[in-house]
Amino acid sequence: MLPVVKIGEDTIPWTKTSNTFNFLKCVGDWKMFQRPSGITVCMQPISLYQNISLTEARDYCEGLGYKMTGLGTVEEAQWAFKKMNEIHPNLKQWEGFWMDGHRNCTPPLKADCQVFSWTDGYTVGNKALAAADISYHNWGDPRIYHNCLQMGRPQYGKVFNDVDCNGTDIFFGVICGYRLY
């Protein structure tokens, strides 16, 4: 049996290395998630209070030493949505924060493609998409494809949405994260 420490909402397991015990926790008030794959990730939505591009969002996280993170479970998506609303409570419908994820489908692209790839190096699978409003294209202009992901206020009670990767006018933050070793 290994001892555990409870810090806030997070249960921190101790690991035995040689004849000592170590425990790891997320930085500051970042949230820890144990993913079904067995890895542990830490994440935090960060409000930048301005319109930002996907590149600016990714660069911001990397400038802090982290990654723009993907969401691996519906639980992570619900937590990130709640936290985003606490730190930026006045977002309007469709406004939100960038997150990792890019639609990865074989041409010809079809509207029902819900396969996303992740660049953060630790998100796998598409289970969190159960919390997403996937529309594939801009209803105002069907030539604009929604191949990236955003935590935001879409319709139908979902907590994140597929969006135009070139958009800037509705993005006010980013979800950063890292794998905890």
Side-chain angles (χ1 to χ4, degrees):
M1 180 172 110
L2 294 175
V4 296
V5 173
K6 188 91 168 154
I7 300 176
E9 297 176 359
D10 295 331
T11 300
I12 315 295
W14 291 66
T15 57
K16 186 172 172 112
T17 55
S18 281
N19 56 356
T20 63
F21 284 94
N22 294 325
F23 75 95
L24 298 174
K25 70 174 247 21
C26 297
V27 298
D29 64 347
W30 287 43
K31 177 70 174 152
M32 179 186 304
F33 289 96
Q34 295 282 332
R35 291 196 168 166
S37 62
I39 68 165
T40 302
V41 297
C42 298
M43 63 180 67
Q44 183 72 278
I46 299 172
S47 179
L48 302 176
Y49 297 101
Q50 61 188 1
N51 297 348
I52 61 168
S53 70
L54 176 66
T55 301
E56 290 168 324
R58 188 177 314 278
D59 289 349
Y60 183 83
C61 290
E62 290 176 3
L64 296 175
Y66 308 117
K67 301 277 187 181
M68 185 167 71
T69 194
L71 301 173
T73 66
V74 171
E75 175 193 11
E76 290 174 15
Q78 291 169 336
W79 174 84
F81 182 74
K82 179 181 174 191
K83 187 72 172 177
M84 180 192 71
N85 283 297
E86 288 172 6
I87 61 177
H88 207 310
N90 298 319
L91 293 175
K92 297 179 180 98
Q93 188 171 18
W94 305 114
E95 294 178 338
F97 290 15
W98 286 107
M99 57 181 275
D100 190 32
H102 190 273
R103 193 180 308 273
N104 185 16
C105 298
T106 305
L109 300 177
K110 297 180 181 169
D112 63 350
C113 172
Q114 294 192 19
V115 178
F116 283 78
S117 60
W118 316 101
T119 62
D120 60 19
Y122 49 81
T123 301
V124 296
N126 289 283
K127 289 184 180 185
L129 291 179
D133 181 17
I134 304 295
S135 61
Y136 184 67
H137 61 80
N138 183 324
W139 292 104
D141 185 346
R143 297 169 297 167
I144 298 174
Y145 296 106
H146 288 185
N147 289 330
C148 289
L149 292 172
Q150 167 220 44
M151 174 61 56
R153 293 187 190 274
Q155 293 182 6
Y156 316 117
K158 301 295 184 171
V159 297
F160 66 96
N161 184 34
D162 59 341
V163 294
D164 176 9
C165 300
N166 296 314
T168 58
D169 59 331
I170 61 172
F171 303 97
F172 297 95
V174 61
I175 303 174
C176 297
Y178 62 96
R179 182 175 177 179
L180 189 63
Y181 290 96

